[in-house]
Amino acid sequence: QVRVIESGGGEVQPGGSLRLSCSATGTLIGAKFMGWYRQAPGKSRELVASITNSDNAHYSDFVKGRFTISRVYLKNTLHLQMNSLKPEDTGTYYCKAQFIVGPKGDYWGQGTQVTVSS
């Protein structure tokens, strides 16, 4: 019922910027929670930033001040503006949409690759 698709990944040099986008389609219900996670090679998937249906945003310490999360609630779209990228930001970035009503459950996208290197 719910399809989550990410886009916007790419390869940039340290200090560069990328803007990731996510869209959760297939329902008219607004997600309770949407978030960006990343997984670097050899590491576990970790939360990067999240935002609730009331626009309460949370940032992990390692991206705070550099990344900005935003959403369009009624369209279940999500964005992550990433500035001052570092090599350690390299990884696959995943979007998650969580629904409390309607299509209850967590839905994940397939991921988009971000590579930061010289």
Side-chain angles (χ1 to χ4, degrees):
Q1 292 184 356
V2 178
R3 183 184 181 192
V4 179
I5 300 177
E6 307 100 331
S7 63
E11 184 173 352
V12 298
Q13 295 192 108
S17 297
L18 286 172
R19 181 174 172 84
L20 305 184
S21 298
C22 170
S23 179
T25 62
T27 180
L28 298 178
I29 303 297
K32 172 73 172 180
F33 168 100
M34 296 189 75
W36 288 100
Y37 297 73
R38 72 185 183 190
Q39 187 166 13
K43 298 182 65 178
S44 300
R45 189 174 299 185
E46 61 186 356
L47 176 68
V48 176
S50 64
I51 190 166
T52 69
N53 61 332
S54 59
D55 286 334
N56 181 250
H58 169 81
Y59 298 92
S60 296
D61 288 342
F62 50 84
V63 303
K64 194 170 185 178
R66 299 188 295 123
F67 293 6
T68 302
I69 191 170
S70 61
R71 71 178 292 178
V72 181
Y73 177 69
L74 294 178
K75 295 185 177 181
N76 284 325
T77 56
L78 185 72
H79 302 278
L80 185 68
Q81 179 65 46
M82 305 187 294
N83 298 324
S84 302
L85 284 162
K86 304 175 181 179
E88 52 263 43
D89 294 320
T90 294
T92 304
Y93 284 68
Y94 299 90
C95 175
K96 184 179 82 172
Q98 182 181 77
F99 293 85
I100 304 300
V101 298
K104 298 178 181 179
D106 296 344
Y107 298 86
W108 292 86
Q110 75 289 337
T112 185
Q113 180 66 35
V114 172
T115 302
V116 185
S117 68
S118 301

